């Protein structure tokens, strides 16, 4: 199967673990024999681009069997509508280029609803089904604007499948958007994190919570 991934975040020079779960999932799909590609428009301020010497424009590279099309786009602070408009234009140009050079994907996997309109455009233009994995806890915090809630509703209702990364989050999203969500957690590398086969008897219970590494 040919799978194309559209992430809302991805590891970069400023943050090596930003969206690392997307990269790991893409590599896992490729290791299972799927043809896997990724298209991402990364947006940074001009100051950030200068700080780490970002190459502005398109970079094509293959990382662990995953073909990445990553376009770095400088943004102008406080011009959110313009930045959003430019990003969507570039996404459509990149996706046409990707399909021309690599063939039409069988499935588009969107991480975070905000890129859903791009996947919906692909579905309508090329008849490519898409699914969405939602990660954002901002829904639970009621920190999503009414406009973005409308976008999310449209994206989830037109997708071929919706995924949440925890059971409680799945239940919340199903109730919020009146549509079915499946539960699939983020990956854990069991070559590095190996579950213990034996249980230690102890009266002390140790709970470890790690967020944002």
């Amino acid at each position: 199967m040919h799978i194309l991934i559209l992430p809302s975040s991805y590891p970069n020079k400023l943050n090596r673990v930003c969206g690392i779960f997307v990269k790991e999932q893409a590599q896992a799909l490729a290791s299972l024999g799927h043809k896997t590609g990724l298209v991402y428009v990364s947006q940074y301020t001009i100051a950030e681009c200068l700080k780490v010497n970002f190459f502005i424009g398109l970079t094509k590279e293959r990382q662990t069997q995953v073909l990445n099309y990553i376009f770095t786009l400088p943004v102008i602070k406080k011009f959110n509508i313009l930045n959003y408009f430019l990003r969507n234009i570039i996404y459509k140009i990149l996706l046409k280029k990707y399909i021309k050079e690599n063939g039409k994907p069988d499935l588009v996997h969107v991480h975070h609803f905000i890129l859903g309109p791009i996947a919906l455009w692909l579905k309508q233009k090329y008849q490519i089904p898409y699914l969405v994995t939602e990660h954002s806890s901002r829904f639970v915090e009621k920190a999503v604007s009414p406009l973005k809630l409308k976008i999310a509703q449209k994206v989830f209702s037109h997708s071929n499948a919706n995924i949440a990364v925890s059971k409680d989050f799945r239940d919340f999203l199903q109730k919020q958007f009146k549509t079915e969500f499946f539960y699939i957690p983020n990956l854990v590398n069991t070559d590095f994190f190996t579950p213990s086969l034996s249980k230690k008897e102890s009266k002390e219970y140790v709970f470890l919570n790690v967020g944002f590494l």
Side-chain angles (χ1 to χ4, degrees):
M1 177 178 277
H2 183 180
I3 303 169
L4 176 62
I5 296 171
L6 299 180
S8 61
S9 59
Y10 203 66
N12 57 76
K13 292 179 180 179
L14 285 171
N15 189 339
R16 297 292 183 182
V17 296
C18 178
I20 189 69
F21 46 84
V22 178
K23 182 178 180 179
E24 291 172 345
Q25 188 181 91
Q27 291 174 347
L29 289 169
S31 71
L32 292 171
H34 297 293
K35 181 179 179 180
T36 308
L38 181 143
V39 174
Y40 176 50
V41 177
S42 59
Q43 294 179 287
Y44 304 98
T45 64
I46 295 174
E48 288 173 331
C49 289
L50 293 173
K51 180 180 179 181
V52 292
N53 194 26
F54 269 120
F55 171 76
I56 297 173
L58 175 62
T59 301
K60 288 198 296 184
E61 59 183 355
R62 189 173 293 277
Q63 293 184 347
T64 322
Q65 299 177 288
V66 179
L67 180 59
N68 292 342
Y69 281 52
I70 299 178
F71 192 100
T72 301
L73 173 67
V75 297
I76 305 172
K77 285 186 175 181
K78 299 181 180 180
F79 285 80
N80 294 335
I81 295 176
L82 176 62
N83 295 331
Y84 180 81
F85 180 73
L86 289 174
R87 187 201 67 176
N88 285 1
I89 289 176
I90 292 173
Y91 259 116
K92 291 178 181 180
I93 293 171
L94 283 181
L95 289 165
K96 288 177 181 178
K97 181 178 178 65
Y98 178 92
I99 290 171
K100 183 178 179 180
E101 295 177 354
N102 302 282
K104 190 170 75 169
D106 299 302
L107 177 69
V108 173
H109 188 175
V110 180
H111 285 269
H112 189 35
F113 80 93
I114 203 65
L115 287 179
I118 299 297
L120 183 55
W121 171 79
L122 277 172
K123 184 175 185 178
Q124 293 169 341
K125 185 173 179 64
Y126 296 99
Q127 292 74 54
I128 305 171
Y130 74 90
L131 61 84
V132 184
T133 295
E134 190 53 62
H135 304 264
S136 179
S137 59
R138 291 178 66 82
F139 286 109
V140 182
E141 298 164 355
K142 301 189 185 302
V144 179
S145 70
L147 175 60
K148 287 185 177 179
L149 284 174
K150 288 183 178 180
I151 294 173
Q153 182 69 68
K154 184 175 182 179
V155 167
F156 295 143
S157 63
H158 284 83
S159 69
N160 294 77
N162 297 304
I163 297 167
V165 292
S166 76
K167 292 179 180 178
D168 288 341
F169 192 36
R170 172 201 62 192
D171 296 342
F172 177 88
L173 291 174
Q174 285 188 156
K175 184 177 180 181
Q176 172 92 359
F177 294 102
K178 304 295 188 293
T179 189
E180 185 177 21
F181 279 77
F182 299 94
Y183 158 59
I184 302 177
N186 289 327
L187 301 179
V188 173
N189 184 349
T190 53
D191 290 334
F192 187 78
F193 296 100
T194 306
S196 175
L197 297 177
S198 62
K199 291 185 177 180
K200 294 182 179 180
E201 295 297 330
S202 173
K203 293 181 180 180
E204 185 180 62
Y205 183 81
V206 179
F207 180 81
L208 172 65
N209 179 49
V210 180
F212 289 98
L213 299 183

